[in-house]
Amino acid sequence: MELVTQVLAGAVLAVCIALLLRMVIGARLRYRIDAAAQAAWQRLRRGRAGTRPTPPVRGADAKEAARVAEEAIRRAARRGRWEGNVYKPDAFRPPADDKTDRRKPH
């Protein structure tokens, strides 16, 4: 029984030291270590050792994503009306006359 408690205490001590070292290192190195640990965990879970994590989006891809998002926002803003800071899409407007029902027949 004493061996089990010593092993458990040693494991807890190792985890505490690892967390202390993680707090001491810089943010950039911490990010790289965390990414490597997460990739190793994912490989372990999936059972594949040959996959690599995708790098974060930077540069031209981020600019393209921002441009596409801005374009989508602009397109969506044309389909409704603004009342103060509240946007009301055309889809929620009541029909112009009572004869036409804008709901789908179910």
Side-chain angles (χ1 to χ4, degrees):
M1 188 67 180
E2 187 175 319
L3 179 65
V4 174
T5 57
Q6 287 180 350
V7 169
L8 185 61
V12 170
L13 179 65
V15 168
C16 288
I17 290 173
L19 291 175
L20 179 67
L21 289 175
R22 185 180 181 277
M23 287 192 314
V24 172
I25 62 176
R28 203 175 263 182
L29 182 59
R30 187 178 335 130
Y31 173 78
R32 290 180 60 200
I33 291 172
D34 289 347
Q38 188 175 13
W41 175 250
Q42 291 298 324
R43 278 195 306 267
L44 182 67
R45 282 184 61 213
R46 290 188 192 126
R48 287 186 262 157
T51 60
R52 300 186 87 200
T54 57
V57 177
R58 291 190 185 127
D61 292 337
K63 290 178 184 177
E64 177 69 15
R67 186 189 62 78
V68 170
E70 187 66 35
E71 182 179 308
I73 292 169
R74 217 176 305 115
R75 256 194 335 266
R78 282 188 246 137
R79 294 188 188 135
R81 64 188 188 284
W82 285 90
E83 293 179 8
N85 65 341
V86 178
Y87 174 71
K88 296 191 176 182
D90 290 336
F92 297 130
R93 286 189 188 170
D97 55 347
D98 292 333
K99 294 178 186 175
T100 59
D101 190 15
R102 297 180 83 173
R103 295 175 46 163
K104 292 181 181 178
H106 293 298

